[in-house]
């Protein structure tokens, strides 16, 4: 199902590579984004305006609540990160690349685009969708990890494996309560620990919450002496890229609409020498973003509709309690729907992906290797483009 080439687009690859692999470079932050360029532009601007009002150059660190007193600002905004050696990359689909590049001018954030080649080769059974580029939650995270692998391994003399770490962050993460600090979290990763995360956010908070409530919640710094070995690595996390590269592991692109984080977390927590750690004393806070609804974003949604529709045609006859999945969703989950196909295809996709994640959790030995090792023991084919 994975097309042959994963394409990345960047204005200056040499500058990005030098920044990430420099002698004093600290692990980069890769932000996964779509359809929110205007909101990000505006809220990065809030951070800069707040600094100007305070007469400061940078905030102290990501725990500095002054950055939120005028409303939510991205946790990864460079003035909040306050580390000139830490590169912030915003990874977006190629269809939105130019839109984001224009909006992020002056932000200190490097925009990189990604896309898979369209693959028209038929699968042996004729069932696997072809003719559309891969999109979705799983493949966007897959692309983020592959970008990090490529950045670290492309130089003629790669940086030391113990330095090959990166952060993955959702674009509307505005705060991590009691954040333990970048270095302290990165130090938790070793040959036996692939990723570390925090307590997850279940809601997107309105602007007023940050202005009136969160700015008064100074919780200090969470301890790292009682980390959990099970849970979900999601929303804001740090990853051992060298270990993922060595084991040929990555998020599964086959989770298109949901469960991309939970399935991979379940898988890693059950593997020997590839565990996870969760700091429950720190927790992610996410803001309510506004969407661009640009032509580029609509084209991307159109691609996703095609992928989900193709999967629908494969999955609709899967049985749930001897009832075809299509009928189960339409008659039980979405009773009275006026347009069963239009409303059920995304629900069916999520049902199937929840079942897949449940299998990963309860019967991990049943999971085919290529779910989380899509290229087997081979590396992903990557093509860099200057754009």
């Amino acid at each position: 199902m994975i097309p042959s080439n994963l394409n990345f687009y960047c204005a200056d690859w040499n500058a990005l590579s030098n920044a990430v692999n420099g002698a004093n470079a600290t692990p980069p932050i890769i932000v996964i984004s779509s359809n929110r360029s205007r909101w990000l532009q505006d809220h990065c601007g809030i951070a800069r305006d707040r600094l100007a009002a305070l007469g400061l150059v940078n905030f102290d660190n990501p725990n500095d609540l002054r950055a939120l007193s005028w409303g939510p600002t991205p946790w990864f905004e460079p003035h909040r990160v306050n580390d000139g050696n830490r590169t912030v990359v915003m990874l977006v689909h190629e269809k939105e690349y130019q839109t984001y590049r224009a909006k992020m001018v002056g932000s200190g954030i490097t925009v990189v685009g990604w896309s898979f080649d369209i693959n028209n080769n038929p699968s042996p059974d004729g069932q696997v969708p072809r003719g559309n580029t891969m999109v979705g939650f799983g493949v966007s995270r897959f692309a983020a990890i592959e970008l990090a692998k490529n950045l670290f391994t492309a130089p003629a003399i790669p940086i030391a494996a113990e330095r090959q770490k990166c952060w993955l962050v959702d674009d509307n993460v505005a705060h991590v309560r009691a954040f333990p600090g970048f270095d302290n979290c990165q130090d938790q990763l070793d040959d036996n620990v692939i990723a570390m995360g925090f307590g997850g956010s279940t809601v997107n908070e309105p602007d007023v919450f940050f202005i009136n409530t969160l700015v008064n919640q100074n919780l200090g710094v969470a301890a790292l002496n009682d980390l959990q070995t099970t849970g979900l690595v999601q929303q804001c996390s740090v990853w051992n890229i060298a270990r993922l590269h060595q084991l040929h592991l990555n998020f599964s692109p086959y989770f298109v609409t949901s469960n991309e984080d939970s399935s991979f977390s379940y898988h890693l927590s059950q593997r020997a020498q590839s565990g996870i750690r969760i700091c429950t004393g720190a927790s992610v806070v996410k803001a309510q973003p506004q969407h661009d609804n640009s032509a580029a974003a609509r084209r991307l949604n159109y691609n996703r509709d095609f992928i989900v529709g193709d999967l629908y045609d494969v999955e609709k006859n899967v049985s749930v309690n001897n009832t075809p999945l299509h009928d189960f969703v339409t008659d039980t989950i979405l009773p009275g729907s006026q347009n069963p196909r239009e409303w059920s295809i995304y629900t069916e996709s999520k049902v199937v992906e929840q079942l897949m994640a449940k299998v990963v959790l309860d019967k991990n030995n049943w999971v085919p290797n290529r779910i989380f090792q899509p290229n087997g023991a081979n590396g992903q084919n990557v093509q860099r483009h200057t754009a």
Side-chain angles (χ1 to χ4, degrees):
M1 191 171 183
I2 297 298
S4 58
N5 287 326
L6 172 57
N7 302 290
F8 288 120
Y9 306 83
C10 181
D12 191 337
W13 283 108
N14 287 334
L16 179 57
S17 180
N18 291 338
V20 169
N21 294 292
N24 297 317
T26 52
I29 299 171
I30 298 180
V31 182
I32 301 164
S33 187
S34 178
N35 201 17
R36 294 171 180 173
S37 66
R38 283 199 302 265
W39 182 83
L40 288 164
Q41 179 189 43
D42 290 344
H43 286 259
C44 285
I46 290 174
R48 295 192 296 273
D49 292 344
R50 184 70 178 114
L51 280 173
L54 292 168
L56 299 174
V57 176
N58 291 300
F59 295 102
D60 291 343
N61 54 54
N63 284 335
D64 190 338
L65 295 174
R66 292 176 295 179
L68 303 170
S69 59
W70 285 6
T73 59
W75 179 82
F76 48 84
E77 198 278 329
H79 294 93
R80 292 190 63 188
V81 172
N82 192 14
D83 180 354
N85 293 313
R86 192 179 304 277
T87 302
V88 181
V89 173
M90 188 161 292
L91 184 66
V92 302
H93 194 273
E94 180 270 336
K95 293 183 184 299
E96 298 181 279
Y97 173 63
Q98 295 298 343
T99 299
Y100 270 79
R101 276 197 64 195
K103 296 295 184 184
M104 289 296 102
V105 168
S107 68
I109 297 172
T110 300
V111 178
V112 174
W114 70 271
S115 70
F116 269 112
D117 281 355
I118 293 176
N119 190 347
N120 292 303
N121 297 324
S123 61
D125 58 7
Q127 293 296 305
V128 178
R130 289 291 186 262
N132 288 300
T133 186
M134 283 293 296
V135 294
F137 290 128
V139 76
S140 64
R141 282 154 178 75
F142 177 93
I145 293 294
E146 292 301 326
L147 174 63
K149 291 179 182 178
N150 182 262
L151 286 172
F152 286 135
T153 59
I157 303 177
I159 63 172
E162 59 266 23
R163 293 182 57 203
Q164 294 181 25
K165 303 170 184 178
C166 85
W167 292 78
L168 295 191
V169 184
D170 290 354
D171 58 4
N172 63 328
V173 171
H175 194 54
V176 178
R177 290 187 179 97
F179 178 58
F182 288 107
D183 291 344
N184 290 335
C185 295
Q186 292 154 193
D187 288 345
Q188 305 306 309
L189 305 183
D190 56 31
D191 285 348
N192 297 316
V193 179
I194 271 187
M196 178 190 159
F198 313 100
S201 173
T202 58
V203 296
N204 293 339
E205 300 287 0
D207 289 9
V208 68
F209 170 80
F210 294 89
I211 298 169
N212 294 336
T213 302
L214 189 60
V215 293
N216 300 313
Q217 296 180 350
N218 189 343
L219 302 180
V221 175
L224 295 176
N225 55 3
D226 188 25
L227 300 180
Q228 305 300 304
T229 58
T230 60
L232 301 185
V233 181
Q234 59 179 337
Q235 301 173 352
C236 180
S237 52
V238 61
W239 292 82
N240 185 337
I241 299 301
R243 193 74 174 129
L244 288 171
H245 185 72
Q246 181 184 19
L247 298 173
H248 307 287
L249 286 169
N250 202 335
F251 288 86
S252 176
Y254 307 122
F255 289 83
V256 178
T257 58
S258 64
N259 284 274
E260 74 289 344
D261 295 318
S262 58
S263 60
F264 199 32
S265 297
Y266 296 155
H267 183 65
L268 293 176
S269 65
Q270 297 180 67
R271 285 180 57 98
Q273 298 182 320
S274 62
I276 63 173
R277 297 292 184 268
I278 306 294
C279 175
T280 57
S283 58
V284 174
V285 184
K286 302 183 83 172
Q288 285 183 357
Q290 284 80 49
H291 299 303
D292 294 342
N293 295 320
S294 63
R298 290 195 299 272
R299 286 196 299 271
L300 193 57
N301 288 336
Y302 182 75
N303 277 124
R304 186 171 63 249
D305 289 344
F306 263 100
I307 292 293
V308 174
D310 284 339
L311 292 171
Y312 166 89
D313 290 333
V314 175
E315 298 165 351
K316 64 184 178 182
N317 294 319
V318 173
S319 293
V320 178
N321 295 328
N322 297 318
T323 301
L325 178 63
H326 167 73
D327 295 338
F328 176 77
V329 170
T330 303
D331 298 338
T332 304
I333 299 179
L334 297 171
S337 171
Q338 297 300 307
N339 190 335
R341 178 180 171 87
E342 178 183 345
W343 287 100
S344 69
I345 58 173
Y346 275 89
T347 303
E348 287 181 25
S349 175
K350 291 177 181 179
V351 169
V352 169
E353 290 168 4
Q354 287 174 0
L355 291 172
M356 291 166 63
K358 181 67 171 173
V359 170
V360 175
L361 178 63
D362 291 345
K363 297 288 185 181
N364 197 46
N365 60 312
W366 290 5
V367 179
N369 289 336
R370 286 186 180 260
I371 296 296
F372 299 106
Q373 295 172 308
N375 293 294
N378 300 312
Q380 172 65 45
N381 292 325
V382 169
Q383 295 289 328
R384 289 182 175 186
H385 306 271
T386 300

mmCIF file with all atom_site columns, all heavy atoms in Angstrom, residues 6 8 30 91 114 116 138-148 250:
data_model
loop_
_atom_site.group_PDB
_atom_site.id
_atom_site.type_symbol
_atom_site.label_atom_id
_atom_site.label_alt_id
_atom_site.label_comp_id
_atom_site.label_asym_id
_atom_site.label_entity_id
_atom_site.label_seq_id
_atom_site.pdbx_PDB_ins_code
_atom_site.Cartn_x
_atom_site.Cartn_y
_atom_site.Cartn_z
_atom_site.occupancy
_atom_site.B_iso_or_equiv
_atom_site.pdbx_formal_charge
_atom_site.auth_seq_id
_atom_site.auth_comp_id
_atom_site.auth_asym_id
_atom_site.auth_atom_id
_atom_site.pdbx_PDB_model_num
ATOM 1   N N   . LEU A 1 6   ? 8.707  8.735  -0.817 1.00 0.00 ? 6   LEU A N   1
ATOM 2   C CA  . LEU A 1 6   ? 8.206  9.771  0.080  1.00 0.00 ? 6   LEU A CA  1
ATOM 3   C C   . LEU A 1 6   ? 8.978  11.040 -0.255 1.00 0.00 ? 6   LEU A C   1
ATOM 4   O O   . LEU A 1 6   ? 10.210 11.067 -0.153 1.00 0.00 ? 6   LEU A O   1
ATOM 5   C CB  . LEU A 1 6   ? 8.410  9.375  1.536  1.00 0.00 ? 6   LEU A CB  1
ATOM 6   C CG  . LEU A 1 6   ? 8.109  10.431 2.602  1.00 0.00 ? 6   LEU A CG  1
ATOM 7   C CD1 . LEU A 1 6   ? 6.672  10.937 2.494  1.00 0.00 ? 6   LEU A CD1 1
ATOM 8   C CD2 . LEU A 1 6   ? 8.356  9.847  3.994  1.00 0.00 ? 6   LEU A CD2 1
ATOM 9   N N   . PHE A 1 8   ? 9.976  15.068 0.174  1.00 0.00 ? 8   PHE A N   1
ATOM 10  C CA  . PHE A 1 8   ? 10.017 16.189 1.105  1.00 0.00 ? 8   PHE A CA  1
ATOM 11  C C   . PHE A 1 8   ? 10.406 17.449 0.343  1.00 0.00 ? 8   PHE A C   1
ATOM 12  O O   . PHE A 1 8   ? 11.225 17.412 -0.584 1.00 0.00 ? 8   PHE A O   1
ATOM 13  C CB  . PHE A 1 8   ? 11.028 15.925 2.228  1.00 0.00 ? 8   PHE A CB  1
ATOM 14  C CG  . PHE A 1 8   ? 10.581 14.883 3.219  1.00 0.00 ? 8   PHE A CG  1
ATOM 15  C CD1 . PHE A 1 8   ? 11.330 13.730 3.408  1.00 0.00 ? 8   PHE A CD1 1
ATOM 16  C CD2 . PHE A 1 8   ? 9.422  15.056 3.969  1.00 0.00 ? 8   PHE A CD2 1
ATOM 17  C CE1 . PHE A 1 8   ? 10.925 12.765 4.310  1.00 0.00 ? 8   PHE A CE1 1
ATOM 18  C CE2 . PHE A 1 8   ? 9.010  14.099 4.884  1.00 0.00 ? 8   PHE A CE2 1
ATOM 19  C CZ  . PHE A 1 8   ? 9.759  12.948 5.058  1.00 0.00 ? 8   PHE A CZ  1
ATOM 20  N N   . ILE A 1 30  ? 9.412  18.730 15.636 1.00 0.00 ? 30  ILE A N   1
ATOM 21  C CA  . ILE A 1 30  ? 8.668  18.624 14.383 1.00 0.00 ? 30  ILE A CA  1
ATOM 22  C C   . ILE A 1 30  ? 7.186  18.744 14.715 1.00 0.00 ? 30  ILE A C   1
ATOM 23  O O   . ILE A 1 30  ? 6.634  17.922 15.460 1.00 0.00 ? 30  ILE A O   1
ATOM 24  C CB  . ILE A 1 30  ? 8.957  17.302 13.646 1.00 0.00 ? 30  ILE A CB  1
ATOM 25  C CG1 . ILE A 1 30  ? 10.443 17.212 13.279 1.00 0.00 ? 30  ILE A CG1 1
ATOM 26  C CG2 . ILE A 1 30  ? 8.087  17.194 12.390 1.00 0.00 ? 30  ILE A CG2 1
ATOM 27  C CD1 . ILE A 1 30  ? 10.820 15.936 12.545 1.00 0.00 ? 30  ILE A CD1 1
ATOM 28  N N   . LEU A 1 91  ? 5.753  20.503 9.642  1.00 0.00 ? 91  LEU A N   1
ATOM 29  C CA  . LEU A 1 91  ? 5.597  19.542 8.555  1.00 0.00 ? 91  LEU A CA  1
ATOM 30  C C   . LEU A 1 91  ? 4.145  19.534 8.090  1.00 0.00 ? 91  LEU A C   1
ATOM 31  O O   . LEU A 1 91  ? 3.231  19.269 8.885  1.00 0.00 ? 91  LEU A O   1
ATOM 32  C CB  . LEU A 1 91  ? 6.010  18.150 9.022  1.00 0.00 ? 91  LEU A CB  1
ATOM 33  C CG  . LEU A 1 91  ? 5.996  17.055 7.961  1.00 0.00 ? 91  LEU A CG  1
ATOM 34  C CD1 . LEU A 1 91  ? 7.053  17.309 6.893  1.00 0.00 ? 91  LEU A CD1 1
ATOM 35  C CD2 . LEU A 1 91  ? 6.233  15.681 8.601  1.00 0.00 ? 91  LEU A CD2 1
ATOM 36  N N   . TRP A 1 114 ? 5.488  17.434 2.598  1.00 0.00 ? 114 TRP A N   1
ATOM 37  C CA  . TRP A 1 114 ? 5.665  16.010 2.341  1.00 0.00 ? 114 TRP A CA  1
ATOM 38  C C   . TRP A 1 114 ? 4.562  15.532 1.398  1.00 0.00 ? 114 TRP A C   1
ATOM 39  O O   . TRP A 1 114 ? 3.462  16.093 1.352  1.00 0.00 ? 114 TRP A O   1
ATOM 40  C CB  . TRP A 1 114 ? 5.639  15.180 3.633  1.00 0.00 ? 114 TRP A CB  1
ATOM 41  C CG  . TRP A 1 114 ? 4.280  15.107 4.297  1.00 0.00 ? 114 TRP A CG  1
ATOM 42  C CD1 . TRP A 1 114 ? 3.766  15.979 5.223  1.00 0.00 ? 114 TRP A CD1 1
ATOM 43  C CD2 . TRP A 1 114 ? 3.256  14.123 4.076  1.00 0.00 ? 114 TRP A CD2 1
ATOM 44  N NE1 . TRP A 1 114 ? 2.507  15.606 5.585  1.00 0.00 ? 114 TRP A NE1 1
ATOM 45  C CE2 . TRP A 1 114 ? 2.169  14.467 4.912  1.00 0.00 ? 114 TRP A CE2 1
ATOM 46  C CE3 . TRP A 1 114 ? 3.155  12.998 3.261  1.00 0.00 ? 114 TRP A CE3 1
ATOM 47  C CZ2 . TRP A 1 114 ? 0.982  13.712 4.945  1.00 0.00 ? 114 TRP A CZ2 1
ATOM 48  C CZ3 . TRP A 1 114 ? 1.972  12.245 3.292  1.00 0.00 ? 114 TRP A CZ3 1
ATOM 49  C CH2 . TRP A 1 114 ? 0.910  12.608 4.141  1.00 0.00 ? 114 TRP A CH2 1
ATOM 50  N N   . PHE A 1 116 ? 3.495  11.516 -0.773 1.00 0.00 ? 116 PHE A N   1
ATOM 51  C CA  . PHE A 1 116 ? 3.861  10.227 -1.355 1.00 0.00 ? 116 PHE A CA  1
ATOM 52  C C   . PHE A 1 116 ? 3.572  10.251 -2.847 1.00 0.00 ? 116 PHE A C   1
ATOM 53  O O   . PHE A 1 116 ? 2.594  10.875 -3.292 1.00 0.00 ? 116 PHE A O   1
ATOM 54  C CB  . PHE A 1 116 ? 3.055  9.094  -0.719 1.00 0.00 ? 116 PHE A CB  1
ATOM 55  C CG  . PHE A 1 116 ? 3.714  8.462  0.473  1.00 0.00 ? 116 PHE A CG  1
ATOM 56  C CD1 . PHE A 1 116 ? 3.179  8.618  1.739  1.00 0.00 ? 116 PHE A CD1 1
ATOM 57  C CD2 . PHE A 1 116 ? 4.861  7.706  0.321  1.00 0.00 ? 116 PHE A CD2 1
ATOM 58  C CE1 . PHE A 1 116 ? 3.785  8.039  2.835  1.00 0.00 ? 116 PHE A CE1 1
ATOM 59  C CE2 . PHE A 1 116 ? 5.475  7.112  1.410  1.00 0.00 ? 116 PHE A CE2 1
ATOM 60  C CZ  . PHE A 1 116 ? 4.932  7.277  2.669  1.00 0.00 ? 116 PHE A CZ  1
ATOM 61  N N   . GLY A 1 138 ? -2.233 8.669  10.365 1.00 0.00 ? 138 GLY A N   1
ATOM 62  C CA  . GLY A 1 138 ? -1.107 7.756  10.504 1.00 0.00 ? 138 GLY A CA  1
ATOM 63  C C   . GLY A 1 138 ? 0.047  8.100  9.585  1.00 0.00 ? 138 GLY A C   1
ATOM 64  O O   . GLY A 1 138 ? 1.207  8.121  10.002 1.00 0.00 ? 138 GLY A O   1
ATOM 65  N N   . VAL A 1 139 ? -0.255 8.383  8.337  1.00 0.00 ? 139 VAL A N   1
ATOM 66  C CA  . VAL A 1 139 ? 0.816  8.622  7.369  1.00 0.00 ? 139 VAL A CA  1
ATOM 67  C C   . VAL A 1 139 ? 1.500  9.965  7.618  1.00 0.00 ? 139 VAL A C   1
ATOM 68  O O   . VAL A 1 139 ? 2.689  10.131 7.319  1.00 0.00 ? 139 VAL A O   1
ATOM 69  C CB  . VAL A 1 139 ? 0.277  8.517  5.926  1.00 0.00 ? 139 VAL A CB  1
ATOM 70  C CG1 . VAL A 1 139 ? -0.528 9.729  5.521  1.00 0.00 ? 139 VAL A CG1 1
ATOM 71  C CG2 . VAL A 1 139 ? 1.412  8.265  4.939  1.00 0.00 ? 139 VAL A CG2 1
ATOM 72  N N   . SER A 1 140 ? 0.803  10.943 8.192  1.00 0.00 ? 140 SER A N   1
ATOM 73  C CA  . SER A 1 140 ? 1.461  12.215 8.494  1.00 0.00 ? 140 SER A CA  1
ATOM 74  C C   . SER A 1 140 ? 2.492  12.035 9.602  1.00 0.00 ? 140 SER A C   1
ATOM 75  O O   . SER A 1 140 ? 3.577  12.642 9.561  1.00 0.00 ? 140 SER A O   1
ATOM 76  C CB  . SER A 1 140 ? 0.427  13.272 8.888  1.00 0.00 ? 140 SER A CB  1
ATOM 77  O OG  . SER A 1 140 ? -0.249 12.924 10.080 1.00 0.00 ? 140 SER A OG  1
ATOM 78  N N   . ARG A 1 141 ? 2.199  11.189 10.581 1.00 0.00 ? 141 ARG A N   1
ATOM 79  C CA  . ARG A 1 141 ? 3.175  10.898 11.631 1.00 0.00 ? 141 ARG A CA  1
ATOM 80  C C   . ARG A 1 141 ? 4.302  10.011 11.106 1.00 0.00 ? 141 ARG A C   1
ATOM 81  O O   . ARG A 1 141 ? 5.457  10.167 11.495 1.00 0.00 ? 141 ARG A O   1
ATOM 82  C CB  . ARG A 1 141 ? 2.472  10.274 12.839 1.00 0.00 ? 141 ARG A CB  1
ATOM 83  C CG  . ARG A 1 141 ? 1.770  11.326 13.677 1.00 0.00 ? 141 ARG A CG  1
ATOM 84  C CD  . ARG A 1 141 ? 0.601  10.781 14.465 1.00 0.00 ? 141 ARG A CD  1
ATOM 85  N NE  . ARG A 1 141 ? 0.015  11.852 15.285 1.00 0.00 ? 141 ARG A NE  1
ATOM 86  C CZ  . ARG A 1 141 ? -0.742 12.844 14.821 1.00 0.00 ? 141 ARG A CZ  1
ATOM 87  N NH1 . ARG A 1 141 ? -0.994 12.927 13.519 1.00 0.00 ? 141 ARG A NH1 1
ATOM 88  N NH2 . ARG A 1 141 ? -1.239 13.774 15.636 1.00 0.00 ? 141 ARG A NH2 1
ATOM 89  N N   . PHE A 1 142 ? 3.948  9.085  10.234 1.00 0.00 ? 142 PHE A N   1
ATOM 90  C CA  . PHE A 1 142 ? 4.957  8.286  9.549  1.00 0.00 ? 142 PHE A CA  1
ATOM 91  C C   . PHE A 1 142 ? 5.946  9.207  8.831  1.00 0.00 ? 142 PHE A C   1
ATOM 92  O O   . PHE A 1 142 ? 7.167  9.041  8.928  1.00 0.00 ? 142 PHE A O   1
ATOM 93  C CB  . PHE A 1 142 ? 4.266  7.345  8.556  1.00 0.00 ? 142 PHE A CB  1
ATOM 94  C CG  . PHE A 1 142 ? 5.198  6.504  7.727  1.00 0.00 ? 142 PHE A CG  1
ATOM 95  C CD1 . PHE A 1 142 ? 5.560  5.235  8.142  1.00 0.00 ? 142 PHE A CD1 1
ATOM 96  C CD2 . PHE A 1 142 ? 5.707  6.977  6.523  1.00 0.00 ? 142 PHE A CD2 1
ATOM 97  C CE1 . PHE A 1 142 ? 6.419  4.445  7.371  1.00 0.00 ? 142 PHE A CE1 1
ATOM 98  C CE2 . PHE A 1 142 ? 6.564  6.202  5.756  1.00 0.00 ? 142 PHE A CE2 1
ATOM 99  C CZ  . PHE A 1 142 ? 6.919  4.936  6.179  1.00 0.00 ? 142 PHE A CZ  1
ATOM 100 N N   . ALA A 1 143 ? 5.430  10.200 8.131  1.00 0.00 ? 143 ALA A N   1
ATOM 101 C CA  . ALA A 1 143 ? 6.290  11.132 7.396  1.00 0.00 ? 143 ALA A CA  1
ATOM 102 C C   . ALA A 1 143 ? 7.179  11.928 8.341  1.00 0.00 ? 143 ALA A C   1
ATOM 103 O O   . ALA A 1 143 ? 8.354  12.189 8.030  1.00 0.00 ? 143 ALA A O   1
ATOM 104 C CB  . ALA A 1 143 ? 5.425  12.081 6.556  1.00 0.00 ? 143 ALA A CB  1
ATOM 105 N N   . ALA A 1 144 ? 6.655  12.305 9.509  1.00 0.00 ? 144 ALA A N   1
ATOM 106 C CA  . ALA A 1 144 ? 7.453  13.075 10.473 1.00 0.00 ? 144 ALA A CA  1
ATOM 107 C C   . ALA A 1 144 ? 8.643  12.271 10.963 1.00 0.00 ? 144 ALA A C   1
ATOM 108 O O   . ALA A 1 144 ? 9.773  12.777 11.039 1.00 0.00 ? 144 ALA A O   1
ATOM 109 C CB  . ALA A 1 144 ? 6.575  13.505 11.644 1.00 0.00 ? 144 ALA A CB  1
ATOM 110 N N   . ILE A 1 145 ? 8.417  11.006 11.297 1.00 0.00 ? 145 ILE A N   1
ATOM 111 C CA  . ILE A 1 145 ? 9.517  10.154 11.767 1.00 0.00 ? 145 ILE A CA  1
ATOM 112 C C   . ILE A 1 145 ? 10.519 9.918  10.644 1.00 0.00 ? 145 ILE A C   1
ATOM 113 O O   . ILE A 1 145 ? 11.743 9.949  10.863 1.00 0.00 ? 145 ILE A O   1
ATOM 114 C CB  . ILE A 1 145 ? 8.975  8.819  12.298 1.00 0.00 ? 145 ILE A CB  1
ATOM 115 C CG1 . ILE A 1 145 ? 8.144  9.031  13.565 1.00 0.00 ? 145 ILE A CG1 1
ATOM 116 C CG2 . ILE A 1 145 ? 10.114 7.835  12.568 1.00 0.00 ? 145 ILE A CG2 1
ATOM 117 C CD1 . ILE A 1 145 ? 8.935  9.542  14.762 1.00 0.00 ? 145 ILE A CD1 1
ATOM 118 N N   . GLU A 1 146 ? 10.030 9.712  9.418  1.00 0.00 ? 146 GLU A N   1
ATOM 119 C CA  . GLU A 1 146 ? 10.951 9.497  8.298  1.00 0.00 ? 146 GLU A CA  1
ATOM 120 C C   . GLU A 1 146 ? 11.757 10.750 7.989  1.00 0.00 ? 146 GLU A C   1
ATOM 121 O O   . GLU A 1 146 ? 12.921 10.655 7.585  1.00 0.00 ? 146 GLU A O   1
ATOM 122 C CB  . GLU A 1 146 ? 10.180 9.017  7.062  1.00 0.00 ? 146 GLU A CB  1
ATOM 123 C CG  . GLU A 1 146 ? 9.590  7.621  7.197  1.00 0.00 ? 146 GLU A CG  1
ATOM 124 C CD  . GLU A 1 146 ? 10.635 6.547  7.466  1.00 0.00 ? 146 GLU A CD  1
ATOM 125 O OE1 . GLU A 1 146 ? 11.776 6.664  6.953  1.00 0.00 ? 146 GLU A OE1 1
ATOM 126 O OE2 . GLU A 1 146 ? 10.317 5.598  8.207  1.00 0.00 ? 146 GLU A OE2 1
ATOM 127 N N   . LEU A 1 147 ? 11.152 11.922 8.169  1.00 0.00 ? 147 LEU A N   1
ATOM 128 C CA  . LEU A 1 147 ? 11.914 13.155 7.983  1.00 0.00 ? 147 LEU A CA  1
ATOM 129 C C   . LEU A 1 147 ? 13.057 13.217 8.990  1.00 0.00 ? 147 LEU A C   1
ATOM 130 O O   . LEU A 1 147 ? 14.195 13.547 8.629  1.00 0.00 ? 147 LEU A O   1
ATOM 131 C CB  . LEU A 1 147 ? 11.000 14.372 8.141  1.00 0.00 ? 147 LEU A CB  1
ATOM 132 C CG  . LEU A 1 147 ? 11.716 15.730 8.122  1.00 0.00 ? 147 LEU A CG  1
ATOM 133 C CD1 . LEU A 1 147 ? 12.407 15.975 6.783  1.00 0.00 ? 147 LEU A CD1 1
ATOM 134 C CD2 . LEU A 1 147 ? 10.733 16.859 8.435  1.00 0.00 ? 147 LEU A CD2 1
ATOM 135 N N   . ALA A 1 148 ? 12.765 12.906 10.243 1.00 0.00 ? 148 ALA A N   1
ATOM 136 C CA  . ALA A 1 148 ? 13.815 12.928 11.261 1.00 0.00 ? 148 ALA A CA  1
ATOM 137 C C   . ALA A 1 148 ? 14.910 11.921 10.936 1.00 0.00 ? 148 ALA A C   1
ATOM 138 O O   . ALA A 1 148 ? 16.108 12.231 11.036 1.00 0.00 ? 148 ALA A O   1
ATOM 139 C CB  . ALA A 1 148 ? 13.212 12.644 12.642 1.00 0.00 ? 148 ALA A CB  1
ATOM 140 N N   . ASN A 1 250 ? 7.860  2.443  12.765 1.00 0.00 ? 250 ASN A N   1
ATOM 141 C CA  . ASN A 1 250 ? 7.252  3.747  12.555 1.00 0.00 ? 250 ASN A CA  1
ATOM 142 C C   . ASN A 1 250 ? 5.754  3.620  12.807 1.00 0.00 ? 250 ASN A C   1
ATOM 143 O O   . ASN A 1 250 ? 5.212  2.521  12.904 1.00 0.00 ? 250 ASN A O   1
ATOM 144 C CB  . ASN A 1 250 ? 7.509  4.258  11.135 1.00 0.00 ? 250 ASN A CB  1
ATOM 145 C CG  . ASN A 1 250 ? 7.386  5.769  11.021 1.00 0.00 ? 250 ASN A CG  1
ATOM 146 O OD1 . ASN A 1 250 ? 6.700  6.410  11.814 1.00 0.00 ? 250 ASN A OD1 1
ATOM 147 N ND2 . ASN A 1 250 ? 8.052  6.339  10.034 1.00 0.00 ? 250 ASN A ND2 1
#
